[in-house]
Every structure is written in C-alpha cells, then in structure tokens.
Amino acid sequence: MVEKERVCVTGAGGYVASWVVKFLLSQGYMVHGTVRDPSDQKNAHLKKLEKADENLQLFKTDLLDYDGLCAAIAGCSGVFHIACPVFPGKVPNPETQLIEPAVTGTRNVLNACVKAGVKRVVLVSSIAAIMYNPKWPKDKSMDEECWSDQGFCKETENFYSLGKTIAEAEAWEFAKSRGLSVVSVCPSIVIGPMLQSTVNASSLLLLFPLREGLESLENNARAVVDVRDLAEALLLTYKNPEAEGRYICSSYIVRMKVLVDMLKSKFPNFNYPKSITEVNDDVNLSSEKLQKLGWKYRPLEDTLVDSVKSYEEIGILSKDRASV
C-alpha cells in the first residue's frame, strides 16, 4: 500500500490555514499542522474536519521553536507556511510582536524544510509586501515585480508590511542559496466564511459595518479575495510544477460603499453605518499571472452571503438579525 503524501501547514488553526487543511484532507493528504496548543478550544474545529481523525496530526510548536518545527515538518514532501502574527491597530512593540516572528519564523521554517528534504514550500506572503512603493508608476497595475519599499514602511510605521516584505525577501534569498523550491502567494484582504470560532483581523472588514453601529465609514478602495479561493490558489501553486516565483492573489477591487450596499441588499436589518465619507485613494493590482496558471474565483456576492451566514452560525452577530 502506497503511503499518502504528507504535507505540513504552519499555524493550522488560523483563518486561512484552516481552509487549507480542510481542502488538503478532502484531497487525501496526510496533514501535519502546527499550533501553539493542540488542546486549546480555538483549535477544536480542526478535529471536526472530515478525515481529520485518521489524516490530521497536530504538533505543539510556534515559529520561534526550531526543534518543534523540525518535528512537525519531518517526513513531509511539502510545506504551506501560513503562520504569521497579525495585530489590528497600533502595536506596542512591533519589533518583537510582528517583525521578529515573521522574519525569524520564516527562516526557521525554511531551515527545517531543508533538513527534512521538502520538495516544495508555498509561502503565504501578502500584498502588504507589494503595495507600499511610492516609486511605482501610478498608471501601472502593481504586479509581482513590485516590492514594498522597506524604508517607506519604516517611515510610515507600517510594521506589518515591513515584516512581510523582509520575510519574503529573505525567503527568496534563502531559496536561491540553498536550492529550495519556493513559491510565494501574496493575497489581498481575505474575507469569506470562517471555520474557526475566534475572529481574525481581516474579517473585521465586514464585521465592522455589520455590527458596530458606526456613525460613518470611509469609502476606501479595498482589494479582497475569498478565503476559499485563496486556499485553492495555494494548492494550485503547490501541485503545479510550472508554478514559480510570486503570485498576487486578489479577486476584486471594491469600495466600501459597494460592499455595504451589497450586504444591505441581502441582509437589510443590520446596524449599518449612517453615512459614507468619500476619500481619494486607489488600488491597482493584477492577478493575471495566477489566472494564467488556472486560478478562478467565485462571485463577490457569494462570498458576502457565505460570510454573514458563517458569522451567524458561530454567534459573532446578534441572533435577531435578518438573514437570506
């Protein structure tokens, strides 16, 4: 009997990683998932996934625990490095809370991959490592050639973007020097239904206008992607031998007023913002490279409906709200 392919997913209990684990299990993979505490209730949803009993093994470790990462990655032919700290709002100590875990953590994962003889690593980066480049021509869509300017990120105190940019840049240097097969995927703001019970940072994009009773909301342009479409993109880049380099993963660029209006049309009884404040901003991204690889994405309306339904099921929205 041929043993099933083993892969490791870092930060397995997180928003994106949970969907990756779900899809991997459904496709017959043996999955090693790294989590801080396998017995923590916030990881309970992983054990309920189909085929989890026989094909999912959770390892207690974190990004700064090299030996723990080595144990989790041993025997795996592929690794999906997804774990990364995210803090909405101002971070008291960005160096230790954001940058070090992102950079040192990625370095530890890649070293463990070399030690284990891993065939391919799919690194989840972010458009945060692409978008913050004031020198990029304003009339040109940002593509995979664009990198966020580290000096600009420091000046603007955009420490999440700084950490993501440094971590991805170092990953490419590491891959080149050690002959490790790495593909990076740079998603935009990830929305969609949740599998986990705790609220993740990117889902606040929809939760704020749904439940906070805001007086006003800025009509920013947002690049978004469905979490399920992102998970499919990660598996696509892992399995396709032609995949190489960076891939921007973003489905729609939409203004907040459009998002709110779409939500209102399906769920009219939530406490939506009373007014929308116009702002002059723009987002110009291209996912053409990923689409040429065969990636497809679902309608935005489906993402919004499925998101709200999952929020209601989890209990993070008031139960007396109207639903589709």
Side-chain angles (χ1 to χ4, degrees):
M1 181 177 173
V2 178
E3 184 176 336
K4 298 172 184 175
E5 184 176 354
R6 290 178 183 270
V7 294
C8 180
V9 179
T10 66
Y15 179 44
V16 173
S18 294
W19 279 101
V20 173
V21 171
K22 179 181 173 71
F23 287 174
L24 286 168
L25 290 173
S26 72
Q27 294 180 27
Y29 288 87
M30 298 285 291
V31 181
H32 291 189
T34 73
V35 293
R36 288 180 180 275
D37 184 358
S39 64
D40 193 318
Q41 187 59 30
K42 68 181 182 181
N43 295 316
H45 63 286
L46 294 174
K47 298 168 185 176
K48 298 175 184 175
L49 295 174
E50 189 176 355
K51 298 183 182 177
D53 283 348
E54 61 268 31
N55 290 345
L56 174 64
Q57 184 177 358
L58 297 181
F59 289 77
K60 182 177 182 179
T61 186
D62 61 46
L63 293 178
L64 302 181
D65 177 8
Y66 175 67
D67 290 338
L69 290 170
C70 286
I73 293 172
C76 293
S77 57
V79 171
F80 295 82
H81 178 36
I82 304 175
C84 186
V86 179
F87 292 87
K90 193 170 179 64
V91 181
N93 194 334
E95 185 65 41
T96 57
Q97 290 177 280
L98 281 176
I99 297 173
E100 184 187 357
V103 177
T104 305
T106 297
R107 193 179 302 135
N108 284 341
V109 169
L110 295 179
N111 273 308
C113 288
V114 170
K115 183 178 180 181
V118 166
K119 294 177 182 177
R120 169 158 285 190
V121 180
V122 177
L123 170 71
V124 177
S125 184
S126 170
I127 60 166
I130 289 174
M131 286 184 60
Y132 299 98
N133 186 336
K135 297 176 184 176
W136 190 261
K138 293 192 180 300
D139 59 347
K140 182 181 177 183
S141 290
M142 287 184 166
D143 59 23
E144 288 78 8
E145 296 300 315
C146 185
W147 281 84
S148 290
D149 183 275
Q150 294 183 26
F152 180 71
C153 290
K154 288 177 184 175
E155 289 168 20
T156 55
E157 298 187 348
N158 190 341
F159 296 111
Y160 174 75
S161 296
L162 179 61
K164 277 293 192 183
T165 305
I166 296 172
E168 190 190 350
E170 284 203 9
W172 285 116
E173 286 298 319
F174 184 99
K176 184 178 178 181
S177 65
R178 303 296 293 273
L180 182 64
S181 174
V182 172
V183 176
S184 73
V185 177
C186 301
S188 56
I189 299 173
V190 187
I191 57 175
M194 293 165 47
L195 293 175
Q196 84 285 4
S197 60
T198 53
V199 178
N200 57 290
S202 62
S203 290
L204 295 174
L205 182 77
L206 298 182
L207 283 167
F208 272 131
L210 280 168
R211 71 179 189 183
E212 299 299 321
L214 301 173
E215 283 295 322
S216 66
L217 184 69
E218 290 190 345
N219 194 24
N220 298 103
R222 301 295 191 190
V224 298
V225 64
D226 188 295
V227 65
R228 297 162 294 185
D229 295 332
L230 170 56
E232 293 285 9
L234 297 176
L235 268 67
L236 174 67
T237 57
Y238 175 71
K239 293 189 287 187
N240 192 327
E242 297 179 3
E244 61 178 4
R246 310 173 89 197
Y247 289 90
I248 292 173
C249 184
S250 185
S251 309
Y252 300 96
I253 295 172
V254 60
R255 290 206 170 267
M256 288 304 299
K257 185 179 187 305
V258 175
L259 274 181
V260 170
D261 287 346
M262 290 179 75
L263 287 167
K264 277 183 179 178
S265 71
K266 294 292 182 181
F267 306 91
N269 295 333
F270 284 100
N271 193 12
Y272 292 101
K274 296 176 177 61
S275 65
I276 302 289
T277 304
E278 291 302 327
V279 293
N280 184 23
D281 68 349
D282 196 18
V283 179
N284 197 2
L285 289 168
S286 171
S287 293
E288 183 180 354
K289 184 184 176 187
L290 186 58
Q291 288 174 281
K292 284 181 177 177
L293 198 66
W295 181 65
K296 296 179 173 63
Y297 53 86
R298 69 200 67 215
L300 181 57
E301 182 178 285
D302 292 357
T303 298
L304 298 182
V305 169
D306 293 347
S307 296
V308 175
K309 286 183 175 179
S310 85
Y311 302 160
E312 290 181 325
E313 288 170 8
I314 294 166
I316 55 177
L317 290 175
S318 179
K319 297 294 186 182
D320 60 355
R321 303 302 188 188
S323 181
V324 170

